[in-house]
Amino acid sequence: MRTRAIGLALVMGLMAGDLSARTWTSTDGKTIEAEFVGATDTEVTIMRADGKEFTMPLTRLSDDDRAWINENKDELMKAAEAANAEPIEGAFANLVTGEFELSTHGDLPFAFYGSPDLDGAKKYPLLLVLHGKSSNNENGKQAGMARRFTQAAVQDQYPCFVVAPLCYQPYGATGGGWNDKPGEEAISLVEALIGGLPVDETRIYVTGNSMGGFGTCHLMAEAPKLFTAGVAVAGYGHSGNAGDLKREPLRLYHAVDDPVVGVEGARSFAEALERSDTFLYTEYPDGGHGIYGRVFEDPATLEWLFGQVEG
């Protein structure tokens, strides 16, 4: 335990820029040189250089020490969690770097994000992000939309793996690409990631814009037991798969003035699902075809999506 505690303190010191090492002062004026180990709402644990730990009530510390804890506790506790985390293992562990890494699954190129701060002893949601119609054939360029889910503010609140496949050519330029071979391969990729990473199988999500919105509805209908929930933007399903989606948690967003994908189709699809308790259609009066950012700037959208759990 002593070796583990010292190692933890050293890692914490490095990650926090030696912020954890300081002189502590008690209410009776006594001082001690020690490093912060952890804190609750009522106590703090510190450790001397010889590895001996002390846990004391916050009420026994000086006002300055209590203020320091309040100011720095979140940063230091996060560092402590990272120091104690088990390494990510599995077939895709090399992709967990804190940056988008590029790879392929069969013929399907994809960009993958996983934070190295994730704990291999825990399981995390997986979010599949589908891009819109594009003639792009360069892996990595399709990750732009997915980057909003890798921002620190999102990952801190909703830690997850993010994967953005490329609907390669000729499929990506047809407008219906995710309904074809790349869609089948995207399902296969998700299944492979579940087997090769600590993924929470009860929290597999899919979202997409335009062609990716159509793809979201299509993939959820094709693999309802795989995907927990989805958010489709500026794209929708067809009447033939509405029945398959009646029990699936799905949200659809469209703008009235969308000049690329007319709102009438979204309205018809929403009408086909109007009796579903798990479907919600939101229509914006403006915004055109580019409302994806607006949808996910609403904290309620993320809260709903990451709050969905299978069964």
Side-chain angles (χ1 to χ4, degrees):
M1 289 298 294
R2 181 175 182 274
T3 302
R4 179 181 176 85
I6 292 174
L8 171 60
L10 288 173
V11 172
M12 286 175 58
L14 289 171
M15 295 186 69
D18 290 329
L19 189 62
S20 60
R22 66 193 312 274
T23 300
W24 302 82
T25 305
S26 65
T27 52
D28 60 6
K30 295 180 179 179
T31 62
I32 182 175
E33 295 289 333
E35 295 188 0
F36 175 94
V37 174
T40 67
D41 290 338
T42 59
E43 295 180 325
V44 63
T45 299
I46 60 177
M47 183 179 64
R48 287 191 321 210
D50 61 3
K52 186 172 182 180
E53 291 187 4
F54 301 85
T55 298
M56 64 186 73
L58 293 176
T59 54
R60 288 184 55 192
L61 291 176
S62 67
D63 291 343
D64 286 345
D65 285 335
R66 291 199 298 271
W68 182 89
I69 291 172
N70 287 334
E71 181 180 351
N72 298 294
K73 184 174 71 172
D74 289 346
E75 180 183 355
L76 290 166
M77 292 299 288
K78 183 178 179 181
E81 291 176 4
N84 278 327
E86 296 291 334
I88 299 290
E89 297 180 345
F92 297 94
N94 64 307
L95 301 181
V96 183
T97 66
E99 303 288 343
F100 268 107
E101 299 293 343
L102 306 183
S103 188
T104 57
H105 177 73
D107 292 330
L108 184 71
F110 67 91
F112 179 88
Y113 176 88
S115 170
D117 293 337
L118 298 182
D119 188 345
K122 300 178 181 179
K123 290 193 173 185
Y124 298 93
L126 172 66
L127 176 62
L128 175 67
V129 183
L130 305 177
H131 67 81
K133 181 179 178 180
S134 172
S135 59
N136 171 52
N137 211 33
E138 181 181 339
N139 192 15
K141 284 188 174 181
Q142 79 281 7
M145 191 169 65
R147 293 185 186 279
R148 69 178 52 253
F149 304 105
T150 68
Q151 297 171 1
V154 176
Q155 285 288 319
D156 285 347
Q157 191 167 6
Y158 306 107
C160 64
F161 298 113
V162 180
V163 60
L166 171 64
C167 194
Y168 54 93
Q169 304 311 319
Y171 306 102
T174 66
W178 298 116
N179 289 33
D180 212 312
K181 183 181 175 183
E184 298 173 3
E185 292 172 320
I187 291 175
S188 176
L189 170 60
V190 169
E191 292 171 337
L193 290 169
I194 291 172
L197 285 171
V199 173
D200 184 349
E201 295 184 56
T202 69
R203 302 177 69 197
I204 309 296
Y205 310 123
V206 56
T207 183
N209 182 69
S210 191
M211 184 180 78
F214 287 99
T216 294
C217 296
H218 175 73
L219 265 58
M220 287 188 66
E222 288 292 303
K225 293 183 179 179
L226 178 63
F227 294 105
T228 306
V231 175
V233 181
Y236 45 85
H238 56 79
S239 57
N241 63 23
D244 298 321
L245 294 169
K246 282 186 179 291
R247 294 180 177 83
E248 300 304 311
L250 174 64
R251 292 197 169 186
L252 176 63
Y253 296 82
H254 216 99
V256 174
D257 62 350
D258 189 329
V260 179
V261 179
V263 71
E264 294 78 12
R267 289 173 175 172
S268 296
F269 184 68
E271 184 177 348
L273 284 170
E274 63 181 354
R275 294 184 180 179
S276 169
D277 294 332
T278 56
F279 173 76
L280 178 67
Y281 175 54
T282 299
E283 192 172 281
Y284 294 147
D286 53 30
H289 196 57
I291 61 171
Y292 193 84
R294 182 173 171 183
V295 169
F296 280 100
E297 284 170 3
D298 183 354
T301 306
L302 287 170
E303 181 180 4
W304 175 82
L305 182 62
F306 286 100
Q308 301 305 304
V309 181
E310 188 74 45

